[in-house]
Amino acid sequence: MGLEEEIEDLREEIANTPYNKSTESHIGRLKAKLAEKKEKLENQSSSGGGHGYAVEKTGDVTVALVGFPSVGKSTLINALTNADSEVGAYEFTTLNVNPGMLHYNGANIQILDVPGLIEGAAGGRGGGKEVLSVVRTADLVVFMLSVFELERYERLQEELYQNKIRLDTSPPNLSISKRHKGGIQVTMTDDVSLDEGTIKDVLREYGYVNADVTIRGDLTIDELIDGIMDNRVYLPSMVTVNKADLIDQDYLPTVNEQLREMDIDPDEAVFISAEKEKGLEGLKETMWERLGLIRVYMDKPGRGVDYEEPLVLQEGENTLDDALDKLGGTLDERFRFARVTGPSAKHDEQQIGRDHELQDEDILRIVARK
């Protein structure tokens, strides 16, 4: 029996096994085996080579436009950036990854117009694996949907999930330390609902015999497997609905209901018309918020505060130490002290340490040795 048949058999057994406490451990082992075999099959497929998409990341952050063919991605990127992506009223117009640069709030946001995904992309159809490998390098995924094909959202999500892209969630708080003896010892917080036996069985499927395991926070079997395999990418996402200019007012409640059925808040989805360039300011603003970008204005000696080209950081990577790292050069080695004025400061010209967290529109002055 080949790997593909084994994978299908495992999927069928999982689907046909009711989930409850008595079957939890068995399902855990099955899912662990399934994940391993899928990984093995993927490695076999990728070893054969093939056409890839090499895109150099430039700017402050990178956004990947994800959608099925002919949804309007090329039209949108041309409207937002300096890109020149071919546009046509037929499928598969874009055959390469086309980057463009959006200048917004002083930040340089690289937007990638990737070839349209099709069903089965994660399994390699339509060059999908190469496309998805580019998406994995982004800082934000923007799902672009046609207002008349909203149901494709769930299929797109599934393709990304199958390619180890986890959206709008955090990695499980899981640590594993191998040891020489003593079996598997599990320490977990009170809110973990998985049975300890299930956790140990899943770990054994991955070859763990002696290990200290610590789990903080509840998690599912799939999330446990994600944490063990440690090759998942966690990205924020958002939804933009194109061709909104074609929505009849009487049809709008139906559109909103369809979005809710897919767990999309209609108030959070951004309605646009790429062709008529409507709704683009709202799209830029939402991308900025989802990216968690922070502008820091540098107070440069003898030149004053530079409000035109701020230092752009992201939430979670916004300490003074992160700022020094992004500024580069020898500044980190020559650093003496820094002062900040603005939202993160208790008072103007507050002297701060390297672990100080900067906020949007802070004014930062760095004093360094010559």
Side-chain angles (χ1 to χ4, degrees), residues 66-68 71 143-154 156 239-243 259 262 264:
V66 174
F68 276 80
V71 75
F143 288 104
M144 190 168 181
L145 309 174
S146 165
V147 70
F148 303 111
E149 296 176 321
L150 296 176
E151 72 282 352
R152 290 189 161 190
Y153 172 67
E154 292 174 333
L156 289 168
V239 172
T240 185
V241 179
N242 193 27
K243 304 176 184 178
L259 291 171
M262 295 181 290
I264 301 171

Side-chain angles (χ1 to χ4, degrees), residues 292-312:
L293 296 180
I294 292 168
R295 294 159 291 181
V296 177
Y297 303 116
M298 302 303 299
D299 187 352
K300 300 178 179 179
R303 289 179 286 173
V305 180
D306 183 358
Y307 290 101
E308 296 300 316
E309 296 184 11
L311 176 69
V312 178

Side-chain angles (χ1 to χ4, degrees), residues 305-321:
V305 180
D306 183 358
Y307 290 101
E308 296 300 316
E309 296 184 11
L311 176 69
V312 178
L313 303 173
Q314 277 187 284
E315 291 174 2
E317 298 178 355
N318 58 318
T319 64
L320 173 58
D321 219 16

